[in-house]
Amino acid sequence: FNFDASDVWTVFHSYAFDFSVWELYGALLYGGKAIIVPKDVARSSEDFHALLVREQVTVLNQTPSAFKPLIPVACEAMKAGQGLALRHVVFGGEALEVSSLKPWFEVFGDRRPRMINMYGITETTVHVTYRPVTFEDLHKGASSPIGEVIPDLSWYLLDAALNPIL
């Protein structure tokens, strides 16, 4: 992902939710900045969008259900000339319905920010796979594309008896 010290991350999720580990330590391990999002701001799409703009957030980690209410607010602001500094939007914690990103892709495109679906955070307490999601995926009817394994990890596909399939 080429994260670096210039990145600004949000810590949107509760520290009791494993996604917060990625949010906080992702920023700190690269020397970036971590913005703790107050609960009342996290519950208001308008206030959260204002925080993203004000803090020039470059890496946003979201469950798909948390991101969905932000889409219309960010799209309207972009149409009005108020862009975002986002480089990456990283999804995890639940299935991503790619079709929900259609309005976003129509306004922002699929290059910047890159939309990345990651898998495994709930199952393994860390992300295991990643896949950039593109506008083309809308036409494929893709639902929560899992992608490929992160280079320094491995995964196994097992049958019902826990025997490897691949």
Side-chain angles (χ1 to χ4, degrees):
F1 296 97
N2 297 317
F3 299 136
D4 62 34
S6 69
D7 281 314
V8 178
W9 298 55
T10 57
V11 180
F12 180 90
H13 298 90
S14 164
Y15 66 87
F17 181 37
D18 48 9
F19 213 170
S20 68
V21 174
W22 166 262
E23 292 175 311
L24 181 60
Y25 289 101
L28 299 180
L29 285 172
Y30 288 94
K33 182 177 179 182
I35 306 294
I36 307 296
V37 179
K39 187 185 284 189
D40 60 324
V41 172
R43 292 183 176 171
S44 165
S45 298
E46 291 79 12
D47 292 345
F48 185 50
H49 180 266
L51 178 141
L52 296 175
V53 171
R54 181 178 62 252
E55 299 293 341
Q56 294 292 288
V57 172
T58 60
V59 181
L60 177 60
N61 299 279
Q62 294 277 271
T63 59
S65 59
F67 187 72
K68 193 172 184 178
L70 179 65
I71 293 173
V73 174
C75 288
E76 284 305 311
M78 182 68 168
K79 289 176 188 174
Q82 186 178 42
L84 294 167
L86 290 173
R87 294 187 324 112
H88 301 290
V89 176
V90 178
F91 296 107
E94 62 191 37
L96 171 65
E97 288 300 322
V98 175
S99 61
S100 70
L101 299 177
K102 183 177 184 198
W104 181 277
F105 284 145
E106 289 173 342
V107 173
F108 288 90
D110 64 1
R111 299 282 182 227
R112 185 168 178 120
R114 283 181 50 203
M115 310 298 262
I116 315 263
N117 191 43
M118 298 190 74
Y119 176 81
I121 196 151
T122 301
E123 296 75 12
T124 64
T125 317
V126 292
H127 294 300
V128 177
T129 68
Y130 71 98
R131 182 171 181 284
V133 181
T134 66
F135 192 81
E136 185 178 305
D137 290 321
L138 294 174
H139 305 295
K140 293 179 183 176
S143 179
S144 206
I146 291 177
E148 61 186 76
V149 69
I150 293 171
D152 65 340
L153 300 175
S154 58
W155 67 331
Y156 304 92
L157 184 58
L158 307 176
D159 65 16
L162 301 180
N163 295 310
I165 292 177
L166 299 176

